[in-house]
Amino acid sequence: MTPARAAALNAPLRTARLALEPLRAAHADELFEALRDEALYAWVSATAPDRVDALRARWERLESRLSPDGTAAWLNWVPRRASDGVCLGRIDVEVRGDEAPNVGYMFARQAWGHGYAREAVGAVVAHLDALGVRRMVASVTVGNEASRKVLEAVGFVRARLILEADVIRGVKCDEEEFVRVGR
């Protein structure tokens, strides 16, 4: 993966209501408090950030857009509501060749129920498809209906059930794998 290809894949995007900006370390200051909301972690094994400086440092490393070995693009967007400029969350995609084996997203509670996730993830999927990323994969913890609906709305289909795929708060959880094949 070349730096130029990674930069093209992680271009700024726009939708009717959102501006999707490539993630920068400075976004940590805007998103830190929203990402500390424990409700965001009900369905994922990640934990809330505990220090803004640590989050900023982690995101600064992601600004290269490349994995340490240079074989994958690490793409990250911050959807910002166009009407008032508020950052609503983040979308993360790993790209290897013409495949995205890991599509993920997390939106602040204030964004829930307004269709922002569907709109933003749909824009990323369309963008990557247009640039030749033909197969995209996302996993959702069984029971996370909101994420399942987002993925289905943007063309992903359930491919398989993965038993005990993750551990969330000490409990083994099953995941559903969703796949989208480009047109």
Side-chain angles (χ1 to χ4, degrees):
M1 179 71 62
T2 67
R5 171 85 169 137
L9 288 168
N10 209 168
L13 305 173
R14 291 211 173 268
T15 70
R17 301 181 298 161
L18 302 171
L20 283 78
E21 304 170 355
L23 179 80
R24 301 272 180 231
H27 287 114
D29 296 316
E30 290 183 80
L31 283 170
F32 179 71
E33 287 304 322
L35 293 178
R36 291 184 50 76
D37 183 348
E38 285 298 323
L40 301 178
Y41 302 91
W43 298 105
V44 297
S45 57
T47 58
D50 58 355
R51 295 184 356 257
V52 70
D53 60 323
L55 183 62
R56 195 179 308 112
R58 183 168 28 138
W59 287 2
E60 184 174 12
R61 290 188 298 273
L62 295 176
E63 287 184 19
S64 74
R65 311 295 178 223
L66 291 173
S67 62
D69 65 5
T71 62
W74 286 351
L75 314 177
N76 304 274
W77 286 270
V78 172
R80 188 183 293 278
R81 197 166 41 215
S83 63
D84 60 8
V86 171
C87 289
L88 300 175
R90 60 184 289 203
I91 301 171
D92 309 307
V93 181
E94 175 186 347
V95 174
R96 293 181 177 276
D98 66 350
E99 182 170 322
N102 188 13
V103 176
Y105 47 90
M106 180 177 283
F107 281 78
R109 191 190 308 221
Q110 68 179 2
W112 296 357
H114 300 282
Y116 293 125
R118 181 181 64 246
E119 188 174 332
V121 173
V124 167
V125 164
H127 169 69
L128 295 176
D129 188 52
L131 292 177
V133 178
R134 296 292 169 235
R135 184 173 187 274
M136 300 176 213
V137 180
S139 296
V140 174
T141 303
V142 170
N144 186 345
E145 293 301 309
S147 281
R148 179 188 58 77
K149 288 177 182 178
V150 166
L151 291 172
E152 289 175 343
V154 300
F156 283 77
V157 295
R158 185 179 180 271
R160 66 184 177 132
L161 176 66
I162 306 168
L163 299 176
E164 298 184 349
D166 205 352
V167 177
I168 300 174
R169 291 174 187 47
V171 177
K172 290 183 179 178
C173 298
D174 300 338
E175 288 186 348
E176 294 176 291
E177 182 179 83
F178 288 80
V179 175
R180 183 181 186 283
V181 178
R183 295 165 174 65

